[in-house]
Amino acid sequence: MSSPTTTDAVSAPEAVFRNYEYTVPMPIRRSTTKSVPAARTPVTQESNIVRNSVLAGSIAGIATSFAFYPFEMLRTKMQSAAAHETSATTVSSRVSSAKSLSRASLSATTRHRGPAKVFFHTIQHGGIRALYTGLALPLSAQAVYKATVFSVNKVATNALTEFKTQERRKVGDFAPVTLTKMDRFWCGFLGGAINAAVFVTPVEFVRNQLIAQHTRKSHGIRSDIYFKGPRHVITHTVSTQGVLGLWKGCSMAVTRDALGCGCFFFTFNYLSQRLPQDKTSSTLVAGGFFWLAFFFG
């Protein structure tokens, strides 16, 4: 018998080791590339726009209330003084008794007719604080105003877009719908009308009552009741005139705010298509024109 060679003489453990398929694991490398966030859907973008618009509008509304409320105060006082002058003249022409209205009160009302005279007369009878009479309720309602206007406008815009999309699909047109500027106007018109009918009218009624009371007090005109604040105005009006008494002048408020908000969103859509995007100057210019459109609308 031939002796085994060195290549054939292999121990059992070594044979097992040679026949075993050994795989060396590759080292795990961590990726250095940053994960790209998922793109936002149009629904998410719209909700963020509405949320940011409500927040920015609320802050802007509070700031503008502090800055421009004295002008609203003076305007209301001038209107209230003119109303008192008219009623006083009517009463004095019918009744010769001095108990109806004193001549001093009538002459004081007549003297303070211009804006400058009304301003200085208000400062003399209450200081700077008197220029902000009745501000508490309108100031606290700014967030509600903006949320209502932008929410109703968004709902109306989505409903109108869906309606036009369905009408196009009926005739085989599957192109995306783009609302016209007049569509934007009517959606904003609806938002302003609902906001004025539900919130603005009673808030302004309470404010005007407090301003008119300050006018009567500063002119020495007696009144049967003295309002301690907005809550007192509300409770007294509801008890004497009913809940609908808070909505006096609703039609004019609705007309004013509906046209104003319609012009606001019309101008927003018009300028957003023509001004450069993502520029602070464009935002400031657009914002200025938005508010001009609202007030002159």
Side-chain angles (χ1 to χ4, degrees):
M1 296 181 60
S2 60
S3 61
T5 59
T6 56
T7 57
D8 297 334
V10 181
S11 62
E14 186 176 357
V16 172
F17 178 78
R18 287 183 177 182
N19 295 330
Y20 181 77
E21 296 180 1
Y22 183 75
T23 305
V24 179
M26 298 297 294
I28 300 176
R29 296 181 180 179
R30 295 183 179 180
S31 176
T32 58
T33 59
K34 296 182 179 180
S35 59
V36 180
R40 296 182 178 179
T41 61
V43 176
T44 305
Q45 291 178 352
E46 288 184 4
S47 62
N48 290 340
I49 290 174
V50 173
R51 180 194 61 192
N52 295 338
S53 299
V54 171
L55 180 61
S58 301
I59 298 174
I62 293 174
T64 54
S65 294
F66 275 112
F68 297 105
Y69 188 82
F71 297 98
E72 292 284 335
M73 165 72 173
L74 296 177
R75 184 199 65 181
T76 306
K77 286 178 69 70
M78 293 174 65
Q79 295 173 345
S80 178
H84 284 301
E85 179 182 355
T86 303
S87 61
T89 305
T90 304
V91 172
S92 61
S93 62
R94 294 180 180 179
V95 183
S96 58
S97 175
K99 296 181 180 180
S100 60
L101 185 67
S102 64
R103 292 183 178 179
S105 300
L106 179 58
S107 61
T109 306
T110 307
R111 282 198 308 269
H112 304 287
R113 186 178 292 180
K117 292 183 177 180
V118 174
F119 173 79
F120 289 111
H121 182 263
T122 303
I123 295 296
Q124 292 174 359
H125 294 81
I128 299 296
R129 184 178 180 181
L131 295 174
Y132 293 91
T133 302
L135 175 62
L137 192 58
L139 191 65
S140 60
Q142 288 299 319
V144 179
Y145 288 171
K146 302 304 182 295
T148 302
V149 171
F150 282 100
S151 298
V152 173
N153 176 76
K154 182 179 182 297
V155 171
T157 301
N158 292 341
L160 185 58
T161 302
E162 181 66 20
F163 173 77
K164 288 193 171 186
T165 301
Q166 295 297 331
E167 291 298 317
R168 281 191 176 186
R169 290 179 178 178
K170 291 180 181 180
V171 296
D173 187 359
F174 295 92
V177 174
T178 301
L179 297 182
T180 64
K181 297 178 182 60
M182 287 307 301
D183 292 334
R184 301 288 183 178
F185 172 84
W186 289 115
C187 292
F189 183 95
L190 182 62
I194 293 178
N195 180 58
V198 178
F199 298 111
V200 176
T201 300
V203 169
E204 290 192 347
F205 175 83
V206 174
R207 180 202 68 181
N208 293 341
Q209 293 300 312
L210 293 174
I211 295 176
Q213 174 178 265
H214 183 272
T215 302
R216 293 192 299 268
K217 182 179 178 182
S218 61
H219 290 157
I221 301 175
R222 294 183 179 181
S223 179
D224 297 334
I225 186 171
Y226 178 78
F227 298 117
K228 300 178 181 179
R231 182 180 299 179
H232 191 192
V233 176
I234 295 174
T235 56
H236 178 265
T237 303
V238 172
S239 61
T240 56
Q241 305 177 31
V243 177
L244 294 180
L246 296 172
W247 271 265
K248 286 185 176 180
C250 180
S251 60
M252 296 305 300
V254 168
T255 303
R256 178 199 64 192
D257 285 10
L259 292 174
C261 289
C263 294
F264 179 93
F265 286 101
F266 177 93
T267 309
F268 175 83
N269 181 258
Y270 178 82
L271 293 180
S272 62
Q273 296 177 358
R274 285 162 175 77
L275 292 177
Q277 301 295 325
D278 300 330
K279 286 189 177 182
T280 304
S281 59
S282 300
T283 304
L284 293 176
V285 172
F289 278 104
F290 297 160
W291 287 111
L292 286 176
F294 176 83
F295 285 114
F296 285 101

